[in-house]
Amino acid sequence: MTLWNGSYPFYPGANACFPFDTTRAVIVTVFLSVLATFIIILPGIPGRRRLLWFLRLVLGLFMGAVILNVQFTGDWESGWVQANTSYKSFSPVQVSADIGLHIGLAGVNVTLRGNPVEQINETINYNEHFPWSFGADYDHSYSQGLQKGLPSPILYVAEKFSSQSPCGVHGQYRIAGHYVSLTLWLAFCTWLISILLFSMSILLYGGQMLLLTGTLILSSLLLFSTARNSLRCPIQFGPVSLRTDYGESFWLALATGLLCLLLGLAIIILNSVQPQKLKLLFSLDKSDEEEQWDQSWLPAQPGCSAQGGFMVPLGELCPGTATQL
């Protein structure tokens, strides 16, 4: 094949990185805005209740943000390898590059980054996404990549996850991603219910819903782990191979699930053993001063309280004297 302006004619257009994921940015922004809003009213909470209230707020928002955020991340399983590989088809030219594979619930991201980035008069910096979520056709996305003339390493890795590949992992990861996503949405709903119950001071049921939230998160991780399997045909680049392991989203979801599980169990146990301490943690106990303040507004005893609908001081009614007729 001949060159035209320094590039192959069947590789039209300039290469581009995968666009910024705005969904995760919106989720983080919303939760941070809620946190900032509640921090504004924090000085109005008296005494030690301020610290306990702030701690409950941070933990609750953290759990909800993680449950919702990992739905859209692409690093449940990831791996990197550095290799010398061919850059384009029908070309003997090789480049030194870092090749990354990131598997999420909704698809696969393949990263190709030159080492250094500028090689053979080109900027080698790709991050291509191949979706398999509902309404998405992985094989069609792979065909579009062939038509665009993506670099050979990206197409080689993406081909391993196509439905026509002898590796047979396409249906395995796709079904696992669907069930994990469904389980996490259920966990997000139970988290919302637990927040609502805690705000209504129904602590026992709130703890039970938090326990259910942790159970659902851990169940989703179990689904992903059982469906995950090593590739029957390895991803080989010369003498080195690309291997994957659990990514950041998996470990973050695991930590959040264990946190929900432990907090839910602690609330249930405290409600049975030390209910007063549990009320203290949720700022439901009343001090003696508050009780005295509430009692001061109660109606006084009959005959010494009011006359004609107006409140009369106690000392002016009780020590009365009789009048001789």
Side-chain angles (χ1 to χ4, degrees):
M1 301 297 292
T2 59
L3 295 174
W4 183 75
N5 289 337
S7 63
Y8 288 94
F10 47 83
Y11 290 102
N15 56 348
C17 294
F18 188 71
F20 179 70
D21 188 1
T22 57
T23 304
R24 296 173 59 185
V26 169
I27 294 173
V28 173
T29 303
V30 169
F31 278 88
L32 288 179
S33 300
V34 174
L35 179 61
T37 302
F38 281 101
I39 288 178
I40 294 175
I41 66 174
L42 189 63
I45 301 176
R48 61 185 179 184
R49 296 185 180 184
R50 183 183 306 160
L51 178 60
L52 294 175
W53 185 86
F54 180 73
L55 182 61
R56 295 197 306 268
L57 174 66
V58 171
L59 287 177
L61 291 178
F62 171 77
M63 291 183 289
V66 170
I67 295 172
L68 193 59
N69 198 33
V70 294
Q71 288 269 10
F72 306 98
T73 54
D75 55 352
W76 279 72
E77 186 178 348
S78 59
W80 285 90
V81 68
Q82 183 177 0
N84 294 323
T85 179
S86 61
Y87 181 52
K88 296 179 180 179
S89 301
F90 311 109
S91 173
V93 178
Q94 290 194 341
V95 296
S96 176
D98 296 324
I99 306 167
L101 172 61
H102 312 280
I103 303 174
L105 303 181
V108 171
N109 274 42
V110 184
T111 303
L112 178 66
R113 185 180 305 143
N115 190 14
V117 177
E118 298 290 340
Q119 295 184 52
I120 59 173
N121 296 325
E122 289 192 28
T123 301
I124 304 175
N125 190 11
Y126 291 85
N127 190 352
E128 295 294 330
H129 180 65
F130 301 91
W132 55 42
S133 57
F134 287 115
D137 189 348
Y138 185 93
D139 293 335
H140 179 67
S141 299
Y142 176 72
S143 299
Q144 286 183 332
L146 287 173
Q147 295 175 3
K148 289 190 300 183
L150 293 177
S152 295
I154 295 180
L155 296 175
Y156 170 67
V157 175
E159 184 184 8
K160 298 291 184 179
F161 293 88
S162 65
S163 60
Q164 306 299 326
S165 173
C167 296
V169 296
H170 175 80
Q172 174 182 341
Y173 277 102
R174 187 171 183 266
I175 295 174
H178 291 168
Y179 281 105
V180 170
S181 179
L182 177 61
T183 308
L184 287 176
W185 279 118
L186 290 176
F188 184 73
C189 293
T190 55
W191 170 80
L192 285 176
I193 296 174
S194 68
I195 295 298
L196 179 62
L197 291 173
F198 286 139
S199 64
M200 298 171 61
S201 302
I202 309 176
L203 304 184
L204 178 60
Y205 292 148
Q208 292 174 351
M209 295 305 297
L210 196 60
L211 181 64
L212 180 58
T213 301
T215 303
L216 288 172
I217 296 175
L218 296 180
S219 299
S220 68
L221 299 180
L222 182 62
L223 287 172
F224 187 81
S225 300
T226 53
R228 175 183 177 270
N229 192 13
S230 58
L231 294 175
R232 285 181 290 209
C233 43
I235 304 176
Q236 198 76 23
F237 293 95
V240 296
S241 60
L242 176 58
R243 301 182 182 275
T244 60
D245 203 350
Y246 294 119
E248 296 178 0
S249 296
F250 181 90
W251 296 115
L252 186 59
L254 177 61
T256 305
L258 292 176
L259 178 62
C260 293
L261 197 66
L262 293 177
L263 290 178
L265 285 174
I267 291 173
I268 294 174
I269 294 174
L270 280 177
N271 185 78
S272 301
V273 179
Q274 296 288 341
Q276 296 301 324
K277 290 185 178 180
L278 181 61
K279 291 181 180 180
L280 178 65
L281 291 175
F282 282 86
S283 303
L284 297 180
D285 62 321
K286 290 187 177 182
S287 62
D288 295 334
E289 295 179 358
E290 291 176 337
E291 292 178 356
Q292 292 176 3
W293 176 260
D294 293 337
Q295 291 176 1
S296 65
W297 291 95
L298 293 175
Q301 296 298 326
C304 298
S305 59
Q307 191 174 26
F310 295 96
M311 298 297 295
V312 181
L314 188 63
E316 296 182 9
L317 287 179
C318 292
T321 57
T323 304
Q324 295 293 334
L325 296 177

